[in-house]
Amino acid sequence: MIYLIAGASHTGKTLLAQKLLEKLKIPYLSIDHLKMGLIRSAYTNLTPEDDDKLTDYLWPVVREIIKTAIENKQNLIVEGCYISFGWRHDFEEHYASQIKFVCLAMAESYIDAHFDEIKNHADDIEARLDDSALSLDWLKKENQAAVSGFRKAGEKILLIECDYDKAINRLIEEFC
């Protein structure tokens, strides 16, 4: 099974992937690691700020990694911001049936009530080198864009509105 976790920055994609790794004992791929490997090795001229271009650049590679894992009958968790809204159209049914997808998102009211907490948890799984650009308005905009894009595509969205831990734990139980 492939567990595909999308969503805006700071929604807990990496945290969810880590929890699934611990529960299911299967590896995960952070698309951010792939991105930084390609950028640092100069295989691309894109920068970490080129979000829209990075999705177009990275998604075909990630898509083929997923197909290879399915063909090899391997389980894998894939998480990141760079998942195409129309990802499902890139897979024939025999692949798509082996993928569990979720988009993590936070409601505006949740972001308003918990912004400082969100910032304080940003380093729970990975150390962020520079998180100074994070703002309340930016986080709301990014979450709304993820919700809008994946909702339009008919995808499952876990919209966190009040209790983050309870919502994530419920999703883990559903996935397992």
Side-chain angles (χ1 to χ4, degrees):
M1 184 61 61
I2 304 299
Y3 298 86
L4 188 56
I5 305 166
S9 182
H10 292 79
T11 55
K13 297 176 302 297
T14 307
L15 175 67
L16 176 58
Q18 180 69 35
K19 287 184 176 218
L20 285 171
L21 173 148
E22 292 168 4
K23 183 161 180 104
L24 299 173
K25 309 291 189 240
I26 62 174
Y28 78 82
L29 168 67
S30 168
I31 301 173
D32 278 344
H33 293 171
L34 177 62
K35 168 189 78 175
M36 291 311 298
L38 292 166
I39 289 171
R40 287 180 169 181
S41 63
Y43 275 90
T44 181
N45 292 323
L46 296 173
T47 70
E49 288 76 39
D50 293 323
D51 278 344
D52 291 339
K53 293 177 185 174
L54 281 164
T55 298
D56 292 340
Y57 183 74
L58 294 169
W59 177 245
V61 176
V62 173
R63 177 191 66 220
E64 297 308 315
I65 290 170
I66 291 169
K67 286 180 180 178
T68 300
I70 292 169
E71 291 162 357
N72 291 341
K73 299 187 182 345
Q74 294 173 300
N75 298 311
L76 181 63
I77 302 158
V78 178
E79 63 88 9
C81 297
Y82 307 105
I83 297 170
S84 170
F85 294 137
W87 71 268
R88 195 172 294 274
H89 301 292
D90 292 338
F91 295 97
E92 297 170 10
E93 178 54 32
H94 69 280
Y95 291 111
S97 67
Q98 297 297 308
I99 301 171
K100 290 187 178 185
F101 172 86
V102 68
C103 170
L104 294 183
M106 297 173 177
E108 282 194 24
S109 59
Y110 182 87
I111 296 169
D112 283 332
H114 299 278
F115 183 68
D116 287 337
E117 188 178 347
I118 293 165
K119 285 174 62 172
N120 291 337
H121 284 284
D123 287 338
D124 281 359
I125 302 297
E126 60 186 357
R128 295 176 186 262
L129 297 179
D130 181 12
D131 213 16
S132 60
L134 178 63
S135 72
L136 183 69
D137 290 336
W138 180 84
L139 190 58
K140 286 180 181 180
K141 180 177 153 251
E142 291 296 307
N143 270 267
Q144 183 53 47
V147 168
S148 176
F150 284 114
R151 185 170 283 151
K152 184 185 271 188
E155 296 296 344
K156 177 179 179 160
I157 298 164
L158 174 62
L159 186 62
I160 298 157
E161 298 180 275
C162 53
D163 188 328
Y164 184 90
D165 290 330
K166 186 183 279 187
I168 293 297
N169 289 333
R170 194 171 44 241
L171 178 64
I172 291 169
E173 291 305 314
E174 182 183 318
F175 269 6
C176 300

mmCIF file of all heavy atoms in Angstrom, residues 76-110:
data_model
loop_
_atom_site.group_PDB
_atom_site.id
_atom_site.type_symbol
_atom_site.label_atom_id
_atom_site.label_comp_id
_atom_site.label_asym_id
_atom_site.label_seq_id
_atom_site.Cartn_x
_atom_site.Cartn_y
_atom_site.Cartn_z
ATOM 1 N N LEU A 76 4.925 2.024 1.069
ATOM 2 C CA LEU A 76 5.681 3.263 1.156
ATOM 3 C C LEU A 76 4.745 4.399 1.553
ATOM 4 O O LEU A 76 3.610 4.476 1.074
ATOM 5 C CB LEU A 76 6.332 3.585 -0.201
ATOM 6 C CG LEU A 76 7.196 4.833 -0.308
ATOM 7 C CD1 LEU A 76 8.425 4.730 0.600
ATOM 8 C CD2 LEU A 76 7.621 5.059 -1.753
ATOM 9 N N ILE A 77 5.258 5.260 2.415
ATOM 10 C CA ILE A 77 4.570 6.503 2.774
ATOM 11 C C ILE A 77 5.280 7.619 2.021
ATOM 12 O O ILE A 77 6.507 7.718 2.080
ATOM 13 C CB ILE A 77 4.649 6.747 4.286
ATOM 14 C CG1 ILE A 77 4.042 5.577 5.068
ATOM 15 C CG2 ILE A 77 3.967 8.072 4.655
ATOM 16 C CD1 ILE A 77 4.544 5.475 6.502
ATOM 17 N N VAL A 78 4.518 8.438 1.308
ATOM 18 C CA VAL A 78 5.080 9.575 0.569
ATOM 19 C C VAL A 78 4.377 10.826 1.067
ATOM 20 O O VAL A 78 3.147 10.881 1.062
ATOM 21 C CB VAL A 78 4.883 9.417 -0.956
ATOM 22 C CG1 VAL A 78 5.437 10.626 -1.698
ATOM 23 C CG2 VAL A 78 5.497 8.121 -1.455
ATOM 24 N N GLU A 79 5.177 11.799 1.510
ATOM 25 C CA GLU A 79 4.561 13.023 2.024
ATOM 26 C C GLU A 79 5.245 14.250 1.468
ATOM 27 O O GLU A 79 6.443 14.246 1.227
ATOM 28 C CB GLU A 79 4.582 13.038 3.555
ATOM 29 C CG GLU A 79 5.955 13.058 4.198
ATOM 30 C CD GLU A 79 6.540 14.451 4.404
ATOM 31 O OE1 GLU A 79 5.849 15.463 4.214
ATOM 32 O OE2 GLU A 79 7.732 14.522 4.732
ATOM 33 N N GLY A 80 4.437 15.288 1.250
ATOM 34 C CA GLY A 80 5.004 16.544 0.805
ATOM 35 C C GLY A 80 3.991 17.494 0.207
ATOM 36 O O GLY A 80 2.850 17.128 -0.063
ATOM 37 N N CYS A 81 4.461 18.704 0.009
ATOM 38 C CA CYS A 81 3.632 19.763 -0.587
ATOM 39 C C CYS A 81 3.527 19.630 -2.100
ATOM 40 O O CYS A 81 2.651 20.227 -2.708
ATOM 41 C CB CYS A 81 4.240 21.136 -0.279
ATOM 42 S SG CYS A 81 4.298 21.568 1.450
ATOM 43 N N TYR A 82 4.432 18.880 -2.696
ATOM 44 C CA TYR A 82 4.577 18.896 -4.154
ATOM 45 C C TYR A 82 3.834 17.740 -4.825
ATOM 46 O O TYR A 82 4.374 17.050 -5.669
ATOM 47 C CB TYR A 82 6.061 18.891 -4.517
ATOM 48 C CG TYR A 82 6.796 20.001 -3.819
ATOM 49 C CD1 TYR A 82 7.626 19.743 -2.737
ATOM 50 C CD2 TYR A 82 6.614 21.324 -4.209
ATOM 51 C CE1 TYR A 82 8.269 20.778 -2.075
ATOM 52 C CE2 TYR A 82 7.249 22.359 -3.557
ATOM 53 C CZ TYR A 82 8.078 22.085 -2.489
ATOM 54 O OH TYR A 82 8.707 23.102 -1.832
ATOM 55 N N ILE A 83 2.589 17.549 -4.440
ATOM 56 C CA ILE A 83 1.738 16.515 -5.028
ATOM 57 C C ILE A 83 0.693 17.228 -5.878
ATOM 58 O O ILE A 83 -0.016 18.117 -5.398
ATOM 59 C CB ILE A 83 1.086 15.646 -3.934
ATOM 60 C CG1 ILE A 83 2.180 14.905 -3.152
ATOM 61 C CG2 ILE A 83 0.072 14.686 -4.540
ATOM 62 C CD1 ILE A 83 1.708 14.201 -1.906
ATOM 63 N N SER A 84 0.613 16.832 -7.106
ATOM 64 C CA SER A 84 -0.303 17.462 -8.052
ATOM 65 C C SER A 84 -1.755 17.286 -7.615
ATOM 66 O O SER A 84 -2.141 16.208 -7.163
ATOM 67 C CB SER A 84 -0.092 16.817 -9.429
ATOM 68 O OG SER A 84 -1.096 17.212 -10.320
ATOM 69 N N PHE A 85 -2.561 18.347 -7.755
ATOM 70 C CA PHE A 85 -3.989 18.225 -7.437
ATOM 71 C C PHE A 85 -4.627 17.102 -8.250
ATOM 72 O O PHE A 85 -5.495 16.393 -7.761
ATOM 73 C CB PHE A 85 -4.728 19.541 -7.708
ATOM 74 C CG PHE A 85 -4.321 20.669 -6.805
ATOM 75 C CD1 PHE A 85 -4.113 21.934 -7.328
ATOM 76 C CD2 PHE A 85 -4.145 20.484 -5.448
ATOM 77 C CE1 PHE A 85 -3.749 23.002 -6.506
ATOM 78 C CE2 PHE A 85 -3.781 21.527 -4.612
ATOM 79 C CZ PHE A 85 -3.580 22.797 -5.148
ATOM 80 N N GLY A 86 -4.200 16.937 -9.477
ATOM 81 C CA GLY A 86 -4.764 15.913 -10.351
ATOM 82 C C GLY A 86 -3.981 14.614 -10.341
ATOM 83 O O GLY A 86 -3.988 13.875 -11.322
ATOM 84 N N TRP A 87 -3.314 14.313 -9.228
ATOM 85 C CA TRP A 87 -2.439 13.133 -9.139
ATOM 86 C C TRP A 87 -3.128 11.851 -9.574
ATOM 87 O O TRP A 87 -2.528 10.997 -10.206
ATOM 88 C CB TRP A 87 -1.884 12.976 -7.714
ATOM 89 C CG TRP A 87 -2.902 12.537 -6.710
ATOM 90 C CD1 TRP A 87 -3.675 13.340 -5.927
ATOM 91 C CD2 TRP A 87 -3.275 11.198 -6.393
ATOM 92 N NE1 TRP A 87 -4.511 12.586 -5.146
ATOM 93 C CE2 TRP A 87 -4.280 11.263 -5.410
ATOM 94 C CE3 TRP A 87 -2.866 9.942 -6.847
ATOM 95 C CZ2 TRP A 87 -4.885 10.128 -4.869
ATOM 96 C CZ3 TRP A 87 -3.460 8.814 -6.308
ATOM 97 C CH2 TRP A 87 -4.459 8.915 -5.326
ATOM 98 N N ARG A 88 -4.391 11.702 -9.245
ATOM 99 C CA ARG A 88 -5.118 10.448 -9.507
ATOM 100 C C ARG A 88 -5.188 10.141 -11.012
ATOM 101 O O ARG A 88 -5.174 8.990 -11.420
ATOM 102 C CB ARG A 88 -6.514 10.526 -8.902
ATOM 103 C CG ARG A 88 -7.197 9.187 -8.795
ATOM 104 C CD ARG A 88 -8.499 9.271 -8.017
ATOM 105 N NE ARG A 88 -8.322 9.608 -6.623
ATOM 106 C CZ ARG A 88 -8.073 8.738 -5.652
ATOM 107 N NH1 ARG A 88 -7.946 7.468 -5.942
ATOM 108 N NH2 ARG A 88 -7.937 9.142 -4.410
ATOM 109 N N HIS A 89 -5.211 11.182 -11.834
ATOM 110 C CA HIS A 89 -5.282 10.988 -13.287
ATOM 111 C C HIS A 89 -3.996 10.394 -13.857
ATOM 112 O O HIS A 89 -3.989 9.925 -14.992
ATOM 113 C CB HIS A 89 -5.598 12.309 -13.997
ATOM 114 C CG HIS A 89 -6.890 12.914 -13.566
ATOM 115 N ND1 HIS A 89 -8.115 12.355 -13.858
ATOM 116 C CD2 HIS A 89 -7.146 14.032 -12.839
ATOM 117 C CE1 HIS A 89 -9.073 13.096 -13.330
ATOM 118 N NE2 HIS A 89 -8.514 14.114 -12.710
ATOM 119 N N ASP A 90 -2.933 10.418 -13.066
ATOM 120 C CA ASP A 90 -1.641 9.892 -13.514
ATOM 121 C C ASP A 90 -1.481 8.389 -13.266
ATOM 122 O O ASP A 90 -0.433 7.831 -13.570
ATOM 123 C CB ASP A 90 -0.495 10.623 -12.807
ATOM 124 C CG ASP A 90 -0.390 12.074 -13.234
ATOM 125 O OD1 ASP A 90 -0.882 12.403 -14.325
ATOM 126 O OD2 ASP A 90 0.201 12.862 -12.483
ATOM 127 N N PHE A 91 -2.510 7.768 -12.690
ATOM 128 C CA PHE A 91 -2.415 6.351 -12.340
ATOM 129 C C PHE A 91 -3.579 5.563 -12.929
ATOM 130 O O PHE A 91 -4.738 5.947 -12.746
ATOM 131 C CB PHE A 91 -2.437 6.170 -10.814
ATOM 132 C CG PHE A 91 -1.249 6.758 -10.122
ATOM 133 C CD1 PHE A 91 -1.317 8.023 -9.543
ATOM 134 C CD2 PHE A 91 -0.056 6.060 -10.047
ATOM 135 C CE1 PHE A 91 -0.227 8.570 -8.896
ATOM 136 C CE2 PHE A 91 1.045 6.599 -9.402
ATOM 137 C CZ PHE A 91 0.963 7.862 -8.823
ATOM 138 N N GLU A 92 -3.249 4.475 -13.589
ATOM 139 C CA GLU A 92 -4.290 3.538 -14.006
ATOM 140 C C GLU A 92 -4.883 2.919 -12.747
ATOM 141 O O GLU A 92 -4.262 2.929 -11.682
ATOM 142 C CB GLU A 92 -3.679 2.467 -14.912
ATOM 143 C CG GLU A 92 -3.122 3.030 -16.204
ATOM 144 C CD GLU A 92 -2.299 2.007 -16.984
ATOM 145 O OE1 GLU A 92 -2.317 0.811 -16.629
ATOM 146 O OE2 GLU A 92 -1.613 2.431 -17.920
ATOM 147 N N GLU A 93 -6.069 2.340 -12.866
ATOM 148 C CA GLU A 93 -6.804 1.836 -11.707
ATOM 149 C C GLU A 93 -6.005 0.827 -10.886
ATOM 150 O O GLU A 93 -6.067 0.830 -9.657
ATOM 151 C CB GLU A 93 -8.147 1.229 -12.135
ATOM 152 C CG GLU A 93 -8.960 0.633 -11.001
ATOM 153 C CD GLU A 93 -9.210 1.592 -9.829
ATOM 154 O OE1 GLU A 93 -9.325 2.810 -10.056
ATOM 155 O OE2 GLU A 93 -9.276 1.105 -8.677
ATOM 156 N N HIS A 94 -5.233 -0.048 -11.536
ATOM 157 C CA HIS A 94 -4.493 -1.046 -10.759
ATOM 158 C C HIS A 94 -3.419 -0.401 -9.884
ATOM 159 O O HIS A 94 -2.993 -0.986 -8.889
ATOM 160 C CB HIS A 94 -3.916 -2.147 -11.661
ATOM 161 C CG HIS A 94 -2.820 -1.722 -12.570
ATOM 162 N ND1 HIS A 94 -3.058 -1.065 -13.758
ATOM 163 C CD2 HIS A 94 -1.477 -1.845 -12.463
ATOM 164 C CE1 HIS A 94 -1.908 -0.817 -14.354
ATOM 165 N NE2 HIS A 94 -0.931 -1.275 -13.597
ATOM 166 N N TYR A 95 -2.978 0.806 -10.223
ATOM 167 C CA TYR A 95 -2.084 1.560 -9.343
ATOM 168 C C TYR A 95 -2.904 2.330 -8.297
ATOM 169 O O TYR A 95 -2.623 2.270 -7.104
ATOM 170 C CB TYR A 95 -1.233 2.567 -10.123
ATOM 171 C CG TYR A 95 -0.191 1.968 -11.021
ATOM 172 C CD1 TYR A 95 -0.309 2.049 -12.405
ATOM 173 C CD2 TYR A 95 0.938 1.341 -10.499
ATOM 174 C CE1 TYR A 95 0.652 1.520 -13.243
ATOM 175 C CE2 TYR A 95 1.912 0.812 -11.336
ATOM 176 C CZ TYR A 95 1.763 0.904 -12.703
ATOM 177 O OH TYR A 95 2.720 0.382 -13.517
ATOM 178 N N ALA A 96 -3.902 3.064 -8.763
ATOM 179 C CA ALA A 96 -4.693 3.925 -7.872
ATOM 180 C C ALA A 96 -5.344 3.137 -6.742
ATOM 181 O O ALA A 96 -5.477 3.649 -5.623
ATOM 182 C CB ALA A 96 -5.750 4.685 -8.678
ATOM 183 N N SER A 97 -5.714 1.899 -7.006
ATOM 184 C CA SER A 97 -6.356 1.086 -5.969
ATOM 185 C C SER A 97 -5.380 0.735 -4.835
ATOM 186 O O SER A 97 -5.814 0.296 -3.774
ATOM 187 C CB SER A 97 -6.930 -0.195 -6.584
ATOM 188 O OG SER A 97 -5.885 -1.035 -7.046
ATOM 189 N N GLN A 98 -4.112 0.951 -5.059
ATOM 190 C CA GLN A 98 -3.085 0.650 -4.049
ATOM 191 C C GLN A 98 -2.601 1.914 -3.317
ATOM 192 O O GLN A 98 -1.602 1.870 -2.610
ATOM 193 C CB GLN A 98 -1.883 -0.039 -4.712
ATOM 194 C CG GLN A 98 -2.213 -1.374 -5.332
ATOM 195 C CD GLN A 98 -2.676 -2.357 -4.264
ATOM 196 O OE1 GLN A 98 -2.016 -2.553 -3.265
ATOM 197 N NE2 GLN A 98 -3.834 -2.956 -4.486
ATOM 198 N N ILE A 99 -3.325 3.019 -3.506
ATOM 199 C CA ILE A 99 -2.923 4.293 -2.906
ATOM 200 C C ILE A 99 -4.014 4.803 -1.972
ATOM 201 O O ILE A 99 -5.174 4.931 -2.365
ATOM 202 C CB ILE A 99 -2.637 5.348 -3.995
ATOM 203 C CG1 ILE A 99 -1.526 4.870 -4.929
ATOM 204 C CG2 ILE A 99 -2.286 6.698 -3.359
ATOM 205 C CD1 ILE A 99 -1.326 5.737 -6.161
ATOM 206 N N LYS A 100 -3.624 5.095 -0.734
ATOM 207 C CA LYS A 100 -4.504 5.786 0.214
ATOM 208 C C LYS A 100 -4.014 7.225 0.293
ATOM 209 O O LYS A 100 -2.848 7.468 0.618
ATOM 210 C CB LYS A 100 -4.459 5.130 1.589
ATOM 211 C CG LYS A 100 -5.119 3.777 1.631
ATOM 212 C CD LYS A 100 -5.184 3.262 3.056
ATOM 213 C CE LYS A 100 -5.893 1.911 3.083
ATOM 214 N NZ LYS A 100 -6.075 1.444 4.466
ATOM 215 N N PHE A 101 -4.892 8.159 0.001
ATOM 216 C CA PHE A 101 -4.529 9.566 -0.075
ATOM 217 C C PHE A 101 -5.254 10.374 0.986
ATOM 218 O O PHE A 101 -6.416 10.114 1.308
ATOM 219 C CB PHE A 101 -4.899 10.132 -1.452
ATOM 220 C CG PHE A 101 -4.725 11.625 -1.550
ATOM 221 C CD1 PHE A 101 -3.495 12.162 -1.876
ATOM 222 C CD2 PHE A 101 -5.777 12.484 -1.279
ATOM 223 C CE1 PHE A 101 -3.312 13.543 -1.938
ATOM 224 C CE2 PHE A 101 -5.609 13.864 -1.344
ATOM 225 C CZ PHE A 101 -4.368 14.385 -1.683
ATOM 226 N N VAL A 102 -4.569 11.395 1.485
ATOM 227 C CA VAL A 102 -5.223 12.406 2.310
ATOM 228 C C VAL A 102 -4.485 13.735 2.124
ATOM 229 O O VAL A 102 -3.270 13.761 1.946
ATOM 230 C CB VAL A 102 -5.266 12.027 3.809
ATOM 231 C CG1 VAL A 102 -3.880 12.031 4.425
ATOM 232 C CG2 VAL A 102 -6.218 12.936 4.576
ATOM 233 N N CYS A 103 -5.251 14.787 2.159
ATOM 234 C CA CYS A 103 -4.701 16.142 2.207
ATOM 235 C C CYS A 103 -4.955 16.665 3.613
ATOM 236 O O CYS A 103 -6.109 16.721 4.058
ATOM 237 C CB CYS A 103 -5.398 17.043 1.184
ATOM 238 S SG CYS A 103 -4.981 18.797 1.380
ATOM 239 N N LEU A 104 -3.890 17.008 4.323
ATOM 240 C CA LEU A 104 -4.031 17.626 5.640
ATOM 241 C C LEU A 104 -4.201 19.121 5.465
ATOM 242 O O LEU A 104 -3.458 19.753 4.716
ATOM 243 C CB LEU A 104 -2.789 17.375 6.499
ATOM 244 C CG LEU A 104 -2.483 15.955 6.911
ATOM 245 C CD1 LEU A 104 -1.253 15.932 7.821
ATOM 246 C CD2 LEU A 104 -3.657 15.299 7.596
ATOM 247 N N ALA A 105 -5.175 19.674 6.164
ATOM 248 C CA ALA A 105 -5.413 21.113 6.099
ATOM 249 C C ALA A 105 -5.956 21.594 7.431
ATOM 250 O O ALA A 105 -6.546 20.820 8.186
ATOM 251 C CB ALA A 105 -6.385 21.447 4.972
ATOM 252 N N MET A 106 -5.758 22.855 7.684
ATOM 253 C CA MET A 106 -6.251 23.476 8.905
ATOM 254 C C MET A 106 -7.270 24.548 8.550
ATOM 255 O O MET A 106 -7.035 25.356 7.649
ATOM 256 C CB MET A 106 -5.091 24.108 9.679
ATOM 257 C CG MET A 106 -4.068 23.122 10.159
ATOM 258 S SD MET A 106 -2.648 23.984 10.870
ATOM 259 C CE MET A 106 -1.676 22.591 11.412
ATOM 260 N N ALA A 107 -8.381 24.543 9.267
ATOM 261 C CA ALA A 107 -9.402 25.571 9.081
ATOM 262 C C ALA A 107 -8.840 26.922 9.509
ATOM 263 O O ALA A 107 -7.971 27.002 10.387
ATOM 264 C CB ALA A 107 -10.643 25.239 9.907
ATOM 265 N N GLU A 108 -9.332 27.984 8.898
ATOM 266 C CA GLU A 108 -8.877 29.331 9.267
ATOM 267 C C GLU A 108 -9.069 29.593 10.750
ATOM 268 O O GLU A 108 -8.208 30.191 11.408
ATOM 269 C CB GLU A 108 -9.592 30.396 8.434
ATOM 270 C CG GLU A 108 -9.034 30.527 7.051
ATOM 271 C CD GLU A 108 -9.493 31.804 6.344
ATOM 272 O OE1 GLU A 108 -9.854 32.794 7.029
ATOM 273 O OE2 GLU A 108 -9.458 31.811 5.108
ATOM 274 N N SER A 109 -10.203 29.145 11.293
ATOM 275 C CA SER A 109 -10.463 29.359 12.720
ATOM 276 C C SER A 109 -9.435 28.622 13.582
ATOM 277 O O SER A 109 -9.022 29.119 14.629
ATOM 278 C CB SER A 109 -11.881 28.921 13.083
ATOM 279 O OG SER A 109 -12.067 27.547 12.772
ATOM 280 N N TYR A 110 -9.013 27.445 13.127
ATOM 281 C CA TYR A 110 -7.989 26.699 13.860
ATOM 282 C C TYR A 110 -6.650 27.443 13.811
ATOM 283 O O TYR A 110 -5.958 27.566 14.825
ATOM 284 C CB TYR A 110 -7.833 25.284 13.299
ATOM 285 C CG TYR A 110 -6.818 24.473 14.069
ATOM 286 C CD1 TYR A 110 -7.198 23.754 15.196
ATOM 287 C CD2 TYR A 110 -5.479 24.461 13.702
ATOM 288 C CE1 TYR A 110 -6.273 23.034 15.937
ATOM 289 C CE2 TYR A 110 -4.539 23.746 14.431
ATOM 290 C CZ TYR A 110 -4.942 23.035 15.551
ATOM 291 O OH TYR A 110 -4.021 22.335 16.275
#
